[in-house]
Amino acid sequence: MEVKIEPSWKTVLQDEFSKAYFEELTKFVKEEYKKGAVYPAPKNIFRAFDLCPFDKVKVVILGQDPYHGPKQANGLCFAVGEGVDLPPSLQNIYKEIESDLGVLIKKEGDLERWAKQGVLLLNATLTVRAGSANSHQGRGWEQFTDAAIKALS
């Protein structure tokens, strides 16, 4: 199966793309997008991988599944697009950083700059039905993201 993902990850995860669970997952996700709103946008499903190549990963931050509200999910766990109100989980992350470092930092919703510095911002489940948290759990994403984490370790 042809998957559009950053080349180093494509090499590392190549075996996953031909497994039965991944083929079933792909069919399920395509059907979900046909039925209604699903987040993130298809082009952003593998954004965490695309912005943080395998050999550049320094830190992994794991989330559960993408935000399920409009304009929130952007393919990076805990991140939202610019101009979107910061969700409580991201606000808490910023509070902890400021507490740990003792400095004020710029609070932006899109954490792309973190990803480009080697922080893999990975959700265990990479898609979600609008308004329905955890709706794509148990469909195969966890097996895929576990394979990525195993490759890193």
Side-chain angles (χ1 to χ4, degrees):
M1 172 174 294
E2 183 62 29
V3 176
K4 293 179 184 177
I5 191 170
E6 193 276 331
S8 64
W9 282 107
K10 189 170 200 164
T11 299
V12 170
L13 297 171
Q14 187 63 46
D15 290 345
E16 297 303 307
F17 303 133
S18 60
K19 291 183 178 178
Y21 87 86
F22 196 83
E23 291 181 20
E24 291 173 25
L25 170 63
T26 301
K27 289 177 189 173
F28 168 76
V29 171
K30 285 179 181 178
E31 284 302 311
E32 285 286 282
Y33 277 104
K34 288 178 186 176
K35 291 179 187 176
V38 172
Y39 302 118
K43 68 179 182 176
N44 288 331
I45 292 173
F46 296 110
R47 187 169 182 233
F49 298 100
D50 294 337
L51 292 175
C52 190
F54 180 80
D55 59 334
K56 303 293 184 197
V57 176
K58 298 174 187 171
V59 175
V60 178
I61 297 179
L62 290 174
Q64 188 170 324
D65 63 353
Y67 294 122
H68 53 86
K71 299 182 183 179
Q72 291 179 319
N74 68 7
L76 303 175
C77 73
F78 299 108
V80 294
E82 292 305 319
V84 176
D85 289 340
L86 298 183
S89 54
L90 184 54
Q91 290 177 32
N92 289 337
I93 289 170
Y94 281 130
K95 284 178 190 174
E96 290 300 320
I97 292 171
E98 288 179 349
S99 173
D100 286 350
L101 300 178
V103 295
L104 294 176
I105 59 171
K106 186 176 180 182
K107 297 174 182 80
E108 298 175 317
D110 189 355
L111 303 177
E112 181 174 322
R113 71 187 188 290
W114 291 14
K116 289 181 175 179
Q117 293 177 52
V119 180
L120 182 64
L121 296 159
L122 185 64
N123 281 308
T125 303
L126 300 185
T127 56
V128 66
R129 189 178 313 118
S132 185
N134 307 319
S135 57
H136 288 188
Q137 284 187 353
R139 296 294 189 150
W141 279 129
E142 296 91 343
Q143 189 172 342
F144 178 76
T145 54
D146 283 353
I149 294 165
K150 184 177 180 181
L152 286 167
S153 66

